[in-house]
Amino acid sequence: MTKLRKTSKTQLQDEVTNAGSGTIISQPEANDNKAASLHEAKKLAKQEAPLLSEDDKRIREAFTDKDWNEIKIADSWQIFKVMSEFVEGFEKLAKIGPCVSIFGSARTKPDNPYYIMAEEIAAKLVRHGYGVITGGGPGIMEAGNKGAHSEGGRSVGLNIHLPFEQFHNVYIDSDKLINFDYFFVRKVMFVKYAQGFIVMPGGFGTLDELFEAITLIQTKKIGRFPIILVGRAYWGGLFDWIKDVMLTQESNISPEDMDLISIVDNATDAVKVIDDFYSKYLLSPNF
């Protein structure tokens, strides 16, 4: 026989008398599992969802209040890691001389025409007196460092730690390889120490680097260094849209902004844009 007895406003017991045992089984309160503190809440969350992906964990953490000790450890001390990356970058790159940054996909294979062209461009740049800066990884980056290395030129690699794809290539000067955890620090180095930007076909990372350079020049945060896109077939559609929609239809940029970039189809023209640009100022590399 089951008998329900209300003993208080917040407690409801289900008393079940087993035959001959006299045992009373109490149903727990609805709030028995409620955490008493933030620490316990986090512990319960881990117990309830042990198989969360890294993305899920990051999303959940964004909605979790942190106590002061967690903020001090996880956030404040991160500043020193950022500072250390800036210091290392500045110290290693301060005297590299005139260089050109080459951007492009990490996924481009050695038999791809754009890989071969990036290698040729880098070799020509060295013969014309420039060093080469790349992201330090495989694909187009490897091609750039390989071309510079083959001509005995300065070959700089700004590598980024990623969960996939990125590992530094073997054509980087041993004293000019820098490993970064932060994309924004790495991009500062790309821009601060380059006298020009050559952009090969690539993905979102390449677009990020391209538009970072364009934006800094457009807003006059850096000098107007030449930006050269290689491959009309690859870049033409994007810049047609920029011209037709961003400029003509919406007026979100100025007509002169279109002059910030040049689009070419071969290594000779890419290097010529840089040479012509600096010849106007009677400047040439000094090593």
Side-chain angles (χ1 to χ4, degrees):
M1 176 179 178
T2 302
K3 181 180 178 182
L4 296 178
R5 177 164 56 90
K6 188 174 182 181
T7 58
S8 71
K9 291 183 180 181
T10 60
Q11 185 176 24
L12 185 64
Q13 286 189 330
D14 183 2
E15 296 178 357
V16 180
T17 304
N18 295 330
S21 68
T23 304
I24 296 177
I25 301 174
S26 297
Q27 182 174 342
E29 293 185 29
N31 290 329
D32 277 355
N33 290 328
K34 184 177 180 181
S37 68
L38 178 61
H39 177 73
E40 289 184 18
K42 291 179 179 178
K43 188 175 180 181
L44 283 172
K46 290 180 180 179
Q47 292 173 349
E48 293 170 0
L51 300 178
L52 287 177
S53 69
E54 288 300 318
D55 285 341
D56 289 335
K57 290 178 183 177
R58 289 178 180 177
I59 292 169
R60 285 174 177 264
E61 286 175 2
F63 288 87
T64 302
D65 288 332
K66 296 180 181 178
D67 59 39
W68 174 246
N69 191 52
E70 287 177 306
I71 293 172
K72 186 176 180 180
I73 294 173
D75 296 335
S76 298
W77 283 99
Q78 212 168 31
I79 295 172
F80 294 99
K81 171 61 177 170
V82 172
M83 289 172 60
S84 71
E85 291 198 356
F86 274 118
V87 170
E88 182 183 8
F90 292 158
E91 287 183 346
K92 284 192 174 182
L93 301 181
K95 295 185 177 181
I96 61 170
C99 285
V100 174
S101 287
I102 297 179
F103 304 137
S105 176
R107 305 185 187 194
T108 307
K109 304 301 181 185
D111 60 350
N112 186 293
Y114 288 120
Y115 182 106
I116 297 169
M117 197 182 304
E119 186 178 348
E120 183 184 355
I121 288 171
K124 284 181 177 290
L125 285 169
V126 169
R127 290 197 293 270
H128 286 236
Y130 297 92
V132 170
I133 303 173
T134 79
I140 293 295
M141 295 172 280
E142 177 185 275
N145 289 126
K146 185 178 180 182
H149 180 78
S150 69
E151 295 292 327
R154 300 191 180 188
S155 182
V156 181
L158 309 181
N159 192 47
I160 184 80
H161 293 297
L162 296 177
F164 56 90
E165 286 183 353
Q166 189 79 349
F167 51 88
H168 72 81
N169 65 72
V170 299
Y171 302 104
I172 302 166
D173 295 345
S174 59
D175 62 333
K176 298 179 182 66
L177 170 63
I178 309 175
N179 292 297
F180 295 91
D181 282 321
Y182 300 99
F183 270 107
F184 71 94
V185 179
R186 180 176 179 245
K187 287 197 292 184
V188 169
M189 303 305 156
F190 272 132
V191 173
K192 181 175 177 62
Y193 294 103
Q195 279 67 54
F197 308 96
I198 290 181
V199 189
M200 307 296 295
F204 291 137
T206 302
L207 291 174
D208 178 42
E209 291 156 350
L210 166 62
F211 285 108
E212 173 91 1
I214 292 175
T215 300
L216 291 172
I217 292 173
Q218 180 204 43
T219 55
K220 302 188 186 304
K221 293 297 183 180
I222 63 173
R224 186 176 171 176
F225 301 126
I227 300 175
I228 302 101
L229 309 183
V230 179
R232 293 180 190 276
Y234 192 87
W235 297 109
L238 172 62
F239 279 86
D240 284 343
W241 176 82
I242 290 174
K243 181 179 179 181
D244 295 339
V245 179
M246 290 181 68
L247 173 60
T248 305
Q249 183 176 317
E250 298 295 336
S251 300
N252 287 331
I253 60 174
S254 302
E256 56 269 23
D257 291 335
M258 296 301 297
D259 298 330
L260 297 178
I261 60 101
S262 302
I263 302 179
V264 303
D265 277 319
N266 59 69
T268 299
D269 288 344
V271 176
K272 185 176 184 299
V273 172
I274 292 176
D275 283 341
D276 290 348
F277 178 85
Y278 284 107
S279 68
K280 294 185 299 184
Y281 303 98
L282 300 178
L283 294 175
S284 60
N286 57 8
F287 67 88

